[in-house]
Amino acid sequence: REVLLKQMDPELRREFHAMVAQHLLRGYGERADYAARIGWHFYKGHRFSEAIPFLVRAAGEARRLFLNDLALDHLDKALDAFGRQPHPSVSRGGLLTGQSEVLRLLGRPEAARRAAQAAVEEEGRGVDAAALAAAQESLGEAALAQVDLPAAEAALGEAFRYSSAVADAPRLA
């Protein structure tokens, strides 16, 4: 199979991957254990927007199984796909927040802090206070992992402030 794929015309290979993704989606789209395969085939088929939700789901499944290196790979691929063709229900800031959390779990607090700072900047441009709170929390946790207590306190305080704003917002009936 690999030999045939390498010998195919690149456009035909992309079409093949997209067809495989569609087939897997029809039969296994609801199964978390197939999310990585579906996302990968959509990605290789250059259907980046469609790949993103599956890559995010695969990252979540990998985290659930404590496969944080794999989760990071899925999030990196989702960020790359987002840069090529964003998905309307996924934010770059949300992807960066997830990446920061995984990097912190992997014992890479400097990289986690950079990703969280980028997430805060991204989410700060929008209007989603809950997403901004999550990004600030991730930044605070990364700063705490680096034993930068003043920065951790400031970021976690901001996270609390944004979370409180979300909780206090009037509910529409």
Side-chain angles (χ1 to χ4, degrees), residues 48-82:
F48 301 112
S49 181
E50 292 172 83
I52 295 168
F54 291 99
L55 293 168
V56 169
R57 188 171 176 201
E61 182 68 4
R63 280 189 65 184
R64 186 183 73 77
L65 297 170
F66 302 100
L67 301 170
N68 294 316
D69 286 318
L70 185 58
L72 184 59
D73 289 343
H74 293 315
L75 288 167
D76 288 345
K77 194 169 291 303
L79 278 161
D80 180 62
F82 190 90

Side-chain angles (χ1 to χ4, degrees), residues 100-165:
S100 173
E101 292 167 2
V102 172
L103 286 164
R104 189 175 44 79
L105 290 170
L106 289 169
R108 296 171 53 192
E110 297 85 12
R113 195 167 177 178
R114 283 191 304 273
Q117 186 60 52
V120 167
E121 291 168 11
E122 283 288 325
E123 296 298 358
R125 295 183 189 127
V127 294
D128 187 348
L132 184 53
Q136 285 284 2
E137 179 182 6
S138 186
L139 179 59
E141 294 290 338
L144 193 58
Q146 290 183 297
V147 196
D148 184 348
L149 300 182
E153 183 179 21
L156 292 171
E158 285 296 301
F160 180 76
R161 188 171 68 82
Y162 289 117
S163 293
S164 296

Side-chain angles (χ1 to χ4, degrees), residues 20-72:
V20 170
Q22 287 290 19
H23 171 75
L24 290 172
L25 179 61
R26 279 192 297 275
Y28 308 99
E30 297 301 316
R31 291 183 50 180
D33 57 329
Y34 275 82
R37 284 181 236 179
I38 295 168
W40 185 80
H41 280 291
F42 273 135
Y43 182 88
K44 294 301 268 183
H46 288 201
R47 297 193 29 200
F48 301 112
S49 181
E50 292 172 83
I52 295 168
F54 291 99
L55 293 168
V56 169
R57 188 171 176 201
E61 182 68 4
R63 280 189 65 184
R64 186 183 73 77
L65 297 170
F66 302 100
L67 301 170
N68 294 316
D69 286 318
L70 185 58
L72 184 59

Side-chain angles (χ1 to χ4, degrees), residues 82-97:
F82 190 90
R84 296 168 187 245
Q85 185 183 32
H87 189 277
S89 69
V90 177
S91 73
R92 183 172 185 274
L95 293 172
L96 288 164
T97 298

